[in-house]
Amino acid sequence: MPIRIALMRSIVIDGRRVKGEEARGLAGAAGATDVRSVGATGNLLFRSRKAPATLERDLEAACARLYGRPTEIVVKTAAEWRALLKANPFPDRTTTSPARVLVWAMRDPLPDQGLDQLRRRASAEEEVVRTRTGDIYMWFGGADPNASKLPSGFGLKALGAVGTNRNWNTVTKITAVLDGMEAP
């Protein structure tokens, strides 16, 4: 059965922190099997024959039932996740400074005007690259990622898109679980 990767936009919903067991339960409520969580529970890998868009709707509905409101959830197929990794415009930087690379997994490609707005926010040390599939990579250079205007000022809906970010260390952990699930 196909593997799906679901990324929650927030792990604090209506003032409650999502716990691993609850997050796995959301996937189960959407019909997923072999559910695994990675890191702070906003990252789920599971098996499902449902299309990503259907899973996004089902997971957000399950989230709304449990927490009283949903958070956006982006679902990628294993092939889409591998394409996201392959599109990495900063391979050397992800090796030497993985915490300074942020990956935005997008539900739909960020429109050109949103990309332009992000690039205007970037400092001289920062770079923003949109992949061919519409996901976004950010490099923070020597700047402290926590002090950057990029992630904190990234109003997705205002920019015309839905997505969620992970630093390269988390991307690597998610990929390791994916590798394990795909192994015979």
Side-chain angles (χ1 to χ4, degrees):
M1 189 175 318
I3 299 170
R4 306 294 191 228
I5 298 97
L7 307 168
M8 298 176 78
R9 173 80 171 114
S10 176
I11 60 169
V12 178
I13 304 169
D14 206 23
R16 286 182 52 199
R17 184 175 176 82
V18 176
K19 296 183 173 99
E21 184 176 326
E22 292 172 342
R24 290 187 296 276
L26 293 174
T33 62
D34 193 17
V35 182
R36 302 171 193 199
S37 56
V38 179
T41 74
N43 312 302
L44 298 168
L45 289 90
F46 52 82
R47 296 183 187 280
S48 177
R49 293 193 195 290
K50 291 182 181 180
T54 301
L55 284 166
E56 288 164 349
R57 286 189 301 275
D58 291 352
L59 288 165
E60 289 175 4
C63 184
R65 284 190 301 274
L66 181 62
Y67 296 103
R69 69 179 192 86
T71 187
E72 287 102 357
I73 299 173
V74 175
V75 177
K76 298 278 188 186
T77 66
E80 290 169 333
W81 186 260
R82 297 280 184 208
L84 173 69
L85 299 173
K86 188 175 180 179
N88 177 3
F90 310 122
D92 294 339
R93 295 171 184 170
T94 53
T95 300
T96 59
S97 301
R100 295 189 179 284
V101 176
L102 197 62
V103 180
W104 283 86
M106 304 301 292
R107 189 178 285 178
D108 297 303
L110 180 68
D112 290 342
Q113 68 271 18
L115 181 64
D116 292 341
Q117 186 176 349
L118 278 177
R119 287 182 172 154
R120 283 192 302 273
R121 285 185 188 150
S123 73
E125 295 179 316
E126 297 172 329
E127 290 180 55
V128 178
V129 176
R130 182 178 55 193
T131 69
R132 187 179 54 76
T133 57
D135 298 302
I136 299 167
Y137 277 80
M138 294 180 185
W139 164 249
F140 294 98
D144 175 5
N146 295 320
S148 172
K149 293 180 183 178
L150 283 173
S152 62
F154 193 87
L156 289 167
K157 289 183 181 176
L159 297 178
V162 172
T164 184
N165 71 64
R166 302 296 184 269
N167 74 29
W168 192 256
N169 289 321
T170 301
V171 168
T172 301
K173 290 174 187 174
I174 293 168
T175 303
V177 173
L178 176 60
D179 291 344
M181 290 176 78
E182 289 180 331

